[in-house]
Amino acid sequence: MANGIIDPLRRADGVKVVDATLRDGGIVNNFYFPEGFAEALYAADVAAGVDVIEFGYKVSKKLFGRDGFGKWKFCGEDDIRAVVGGKDAAVKIAVMADVGRVDLREEMLPKSQSVIDIYRIAAYCSQIAEAAEMIEYAGKMGYFTTCNIMAISKNDISEVRAALETVARTPADVIYIVDSFGSLSPDDIKRLCDLYGEIAYKYGKKLGIHAHNNLQLAFANTLAAYGAGVEYLDATICGMGRGAGNCPLEALIGYLRNPRYSILPVLKFIRGHMMPLRESGVEWGYDVPYLLTGLENVHPYAAIDFLKAGRNDYAAFLGEIAESKKR
C-alpha cells in the first residue's frame, strides 16, 4: 500500500534477490527447457533488477552423461556465454556444485576466464569438511561463494552448530538456511536466523534463505528470514522447483516494493514462457502429497513417486510415510 500501514520501501538495505528458476526448476524437467527460454529469462531478470541468476549445476561428466539431461545440468562455459552475451555486470551469474557430484579441479576455470561469478556449494552437515575444501578452492580461484547446508530439519542443533562453525571459518561469503523438505515454519526460520547469525556474523558472513513450498510456507518463510536480517533471498518464477516448488519470485519482488526491482518484466515472462511450459505438461507446485512429506519432515521424492503413479489414497500414503520412518 503506497499510503497505508505497509512501508512501501520496507527494509531495503543489502537485499539480494536470487533467481533459481533454471537450477531448481530444472530438476522438474531434467533441465530440458524450450529453445530461447534461458535467453528470455536472463533478459527478464536484467530488466527486473534481479541481482543473481543461478543457471544450474556444475556436475562431473564422469558421473552424469549428457543423455537424459539438458545443458543446465552441466553449465558449460560456452552455453552460459551464448545466453548472456556481453553480460550485464549488474546481474551476477551463479552455479551450484554439490559435494560428491563434481571435482572442481576438473570443472572450474579461474574466475578471470569465466563468466560465472558465484559458486554455491551444497552439502549436508555430514559433508561439511568436503564442502569447506571446495569453498577454499573456489575462493582461491577468485569466486564469490556460498554454502547451502541442506536438510537441516533432520539434524540436531549441535550438528548444525558444528557445521556452521566449520563453514564460517572458510572464505564463504554467504551461508544459506535451506528448508530442503519444506517442513519449517516462520517461527523455525526466525530461530535458525538467530543461530546462524550468532556464528556467521562474528566471522563477517552474510546469510541467505532457500525455501520449499511443501506446507505452502516458502513465501512466508522467506519473508520471516528477510525480516530477521537475511540478505540473500532465493526464489523462482511461478515457484518452479522440485516437487512443491519454491518461493515465487514475482511475489517476492512485488512484496519488497523496492525501487530497484520491477515486476513487469517478470509478468511478461510468465505469460510468454511459464504458461506455455505448464501447458506443455511440465508439472510442479503444491499438492497434498507434498504437504504430507512436509508435515512428516521427509524427502519429497516419496510424494513425487506417489503422484507419478497416479495415486490419490492420501491416508494410505501417510501410513506408508510413518512406516518408513520406523525403519
Side-chain angles (χ1 to χ4, degrees), residues 2-3 7 18 27-28 30 39 46 50 69 75 101 129 139 170 172 189 193 199 201 208 234-235 238 282 326:
N3 297 299
D7 176 3
V18 180
I27 298 172
V28 176
N30 286 335
E39 290 82 354
V46 170
V50 168
F69 296 104
C75 286
R101 296 188 176 185
T170 72
I189 295 296
C193 288
I199 297 170
Y201 295 148
D234 282 17
C238 293
V282 180
K326 294 178 184 178

Side-chain angles (χ1 to χ4, degrees), residues 44-170:
D45 279 346
V46 170
V50 168
D51 300 283
V52 180
I53 177 170
E54 185 181 45
F55 268 75
Y57 285 101
K58 273 286 187 182
V59 299
S60 171
K61 299 178 183 67
K62 296 176 182 177
L63 297 177
F64 298 89
R66 282 283 187 176
D67 293 339
F69 296 104
K71 65 181 71 172
W72 307 123
K73 180 75 171 180
F74 306 92
C75 286
E77 188 74 25
D78 290 343
D79 289 328
I80 299 176
R81 287 184 182 275
V83 171
V84 305
K87 189 174 180 293
D88 186 298
V91 181
K92 302 301 182 184
I93 305 302
V95 297
M96 180 167 281
D98 286 358
V99 168
R101 296 188 176 185
V102 65
D103 183 345
L104 292 184
R105 287 171 175 78
E106 293 185 357
E107 299 291 341
M108 178 184 283
L109 295 173
K111 174 65 192 86
S112 60
Q113 299 174 24
S114 177
V115 73
I116 297 167
D117 301 294
I118 301 171
Y119 268 80
R120 285 153 57 98
I121 308 302
Y124 297 102
C125 281
S126 61
Q127 301 172 318
I128 287 301
E130 296 96 322
E133 292 179 5
M134 292 171 70
I135 293 165
E136 292 280 357
Y137 183 74
K140 289 177 182 177
M141 295 290 275
Y143 292 96
F144 187 98
T145 57
T146 80
C147 186
N148 296 39
I149 308 175
M150 301 184 291
I152 53 173
S153 60
K154 284 290 192 181
N155 294 107
D156 294 332
I157 291 296
S158 60
E159 295 173 310
V160 177
R161 182 179 289 276
L164 288 170
E165 287 285 358
T166 298
V167 173
R169 289 181 169 88
T170 72

Side-chain angles (χ1 to χ4, degrees), residues 11-40:
R11 220 189 88 267
D13 50 300
V15 66
K16 304 289 185 186
V17 172
V18 180
D19 181 1
T21 304
L22 284 177
R23 202 272 306 166
D24 213 323
I27 298 172
V28 176
N29 59 359
N30 286 335
F31 304 91
Y32 286 116
F33 289 95
E35 191 71 28
F37 184 96
E39 290 82 354

Side-chain angles (χ1 to χ4, degrees), residues 161-212:
R161 182 179 289 276
L164 288 170
E165 287 285 358
T166 298
V167 173
R169 289 181 169 88
T170 72
D173 297 281
V174 184
I175 304 175
Y176 261 82
I177 299 165
V178 182
D179 183 12
S180 299
F181 299 163
S183 60
L184 300 176
S185 70
D187 285 341
D188 295 325
I189 295 296
K190 290 173 185 175
R191 285 191 289 270
L192 286 166
C193 288
D194 288 341
L195 171 63
Y196 276 55
E198 172 194 337
I199 297 170
Y201 295 148
K202 68 182 179 182
Y203 291 96
K205 310 302 182 184
K206 297 181 183 298
L207 296 182
I209 176 74
H210 183 88
H212 281 267

